[in-house]
Amino acid sequence: MTVTSSGPLPEETYDVAVIGAGVVGAAIARELARHRGLRIALVEAAEDVGEGTSKANTAILHTGFDAAPGSLDARLTADGSRRLARYAAEVGIPVERVGALLVAWDAEQLARLPELAGKAERNGYHDTRLLDADELHALEPRLGPGALGALEVPGESIICPWTTTLAYATHAVLAGTDLHLNCPVNGIRQDGDRHELSCARGRLSARYLVNAAGLSADTVDAMLGHHDFTVTPRRGQLIVFDTFAGDLVRHILLPVPTALGKGVLVAPTVYGNVLLGPTAEDLPDKRATESTAGGLAALTGKGRRILPALLDEEVTAVYAGLRAATGQDDYRIRAHPEQRAVTAGGIRSTGLTASMGIAAHVTGLLAEVGLDLGAAGELPPLRMPPLGRTAARPCRQSGLVAADPEYGTVVCHCELVSRGEIRDALAAPVPPRSPAGLRRRTRAGAGRCQGAWCGAALRDLLERSPVREGV
């Protein structure tokens, strides 16, 4: 296992370099790692996996019912959803099939619901059901007044996005992939049958290349001489309400979608919180992940109409993420045979769901452009830490605490995170390098007090953890 975050890069030539360790890049690396004869490098600009678009989304495992029929998005979202549901059960990624309700608030929206049901049918999803106002309010008693009906989509689920990306990256590393963090790619040069990547930490060479750079996918494509699309960051701001609000909503409450996206939703999370968001703001700055007073005010206004009681609850956190909008409805995935490269760009809100489908598709494209994959094998066994509300935290498992008292020493009291879990995260194949990374792996500091109680202790444990270079 090799994970590096500083120092020079290996001089060996990799078979494949995957640029970008978000949920899509990590999924691609994991899929390639099944072919044990390949030498793979997963190259990430940030200090952790999933630090870009992947860490700030609405955490929904979609069915793909509302994708454009016949599109690559529709095919890979449906395929990816099935694959990820199976994978989540296998490795312990928290998932809850709570279902979604597309709520119509006026006559025009109500008239669109049969059309959306027909779209779902064309996408191969046959379980939708039209609800009148009485049925809708019976399913969601706290829904605001004025809703006229809904389209029920029972297969929509909520999922932990952080565990998903970490599971992919961990599986890839366990199978021999080299993960190089803090390694932004500044240039790409063709050198015979190799790509030579000029990175902030030195040079890295590979025979085949995958561009899964998310918001920077257009920049990396330009390094290869391609200008097929431009990524325009679309900011989504979200509000996280405390777990006390968890009983207010049973389903993912969606608006009837518009041209800008799926709109503002209210949804439970697998941790017991309630999400309100996202906004949809096209911006020129790929670093504009701040929340704004205007954005949050707009969200609370919509939330008050959807679920009025929600606005009486405490807010735990706010955050914002950037989606990689390209002005096109579909993904921008294409092979460049002459360069032995594949671009996976324009992956927006369905990227988490579609990640495993995209990985399989990209692997197929690499084979088409000449990569000899060799035989695929089984990946090493993997079980991720139980972070969801339906799982018992280690401190509440008497047998576990008796065997290892560190699991009974609670450090984060809001989320019941024990010293043993933090120790395990720091010793994991892909360890955290910041308090935020530790929070994504354990939930420590993600609760009601947002680390006011445990923050100093968490930072102390993090700073005293061993350096993991070359592990």
Side-chain angles (χ1 to χ4, degrees), residues 188-392:
I188 301 172
R189 186 174 69 89
Q190 299 290 307
D191 182 11
D193 63 351
R194 299 182 307 162
H195 299 279
E196 188 170 284
L197 279 59
S198 177
C199 307
R201 293 173 45 202
R203 297 191 180 280
L204 184 145
S205 67
R207 296 191 301 116
Y208 290 81
L209 195 64
V210 175
N211 172 9
L215 291 168
S216 298
D218 55 345
T219 304
V220 173
D221 246 19
M223 295 176 190
L224 292 167
H226 303 294
H227 303 277
D228 299 331
F229 61 92
T230 299
V231 173
T232 301
R234 180 168 294 165
R235 181 167 61 191
Q237 302 184 49
L238 295 105
I239 301 174
V240 183
F241 288 87
D242 193 25
T243 52
F244 286 133
D247 291 336
L248 295 179
V249 60
R250 302 169 180 173
H251 302 77
I252 303 162
L253 301 179
L254 300 168
V256 176
T258 69
L260 274 180
K262 298 177 187 301
V264 173
L265 59 81
V266 173
T269 75
V270 291
Y271 324 113
N273 303 98
V274 176
L275 276 184
L276 170 62
T279 57
E281 310 158 55
D282 287 344
L283 303 169
D285 188 352
K286 292 181 177 179
R287 301 164 300 175
T289 55
E290 68 274 13
S291 298
T292 66
L296 299 179
L299 288 180
T300 54
K302 291 181 182 297
R304 186 171 288 108
R305 181 180 192 189
I306 299 168
L307 204 67
L310 184 62
L311 276 298
D312 296 329
E313 298 295 334
E314 297 288 336
V315 172
T316 299
V318 298
Y319 66 93
L322 300 174
R323 289 104 86 184
T326 63
Q328 305 289 326
D329 289 335
D330 210 350
Y331 296 156
R332 310 290 288 180
I333 301 177
R334 63 181 54 183
H336 304 291
E338 72 285 0
Q339 293 172 308
R340 304 174 311 282
V342 175
T343 295
I347 313 298
R348 293 182 293 166
S349 60
T350 53
L352 168 62
T353 299
S355 52
M356 296 188 84
I358 294 171
H361 181 61
V362 167
T363 300
L365 291 176
L366 284 169
E368 289 179 11
V369 301
L371 176 64
D372 182 4
L373 292 167
E378 295 294 324
L379 290 167
L382 176 66
R383 195 68 185 171
M384 300 301 289
L387 301 186
R389 61 180 172 177
T390 61

Side-chain angles (χ1 to χ4, degrees), residues 65 100-106 108-113 116 131-133 136-137 139-140 143-153 249 251-257 262 264-266 305-307:
F65 79 97
L101 301 171
L102 270 79
V103 180
W105 295 95
D106 58 39
E108 184 179 348
Q109 292 176 9
L110 188 66
R112 283 206 61 206
L113 295 182
L116 290 166
L131 307 178
D132 62 25
L136 171 59
H137 282 279
L139 289 176
E140 284 293 347
L143 193 69
L148 301 178
L151 181 69
E152 183 183 24
V153 188
V249 60
H251 302 77
I252 303 162
L253 301 179
L254 300 168
V256 176
K262 298 177 187 301
V264 173
L265 59 81
V266 173
R305 181 180 192 189
I306 299 168
L307 204 67

Side-chain angles (χ1 to χ4, degrees), residues 38 73 95 112 154 167 184 219 222 233-234 258 272 288 295 359 387 399 410 413 439 452:
L38 295 177
D73 181 353
V95 174
R112 283 206 61 206
T219 304
R234 180 168 294 165
T258 69
L387 301 186
V410 174
H413 288 259
R439 182 168 62 243

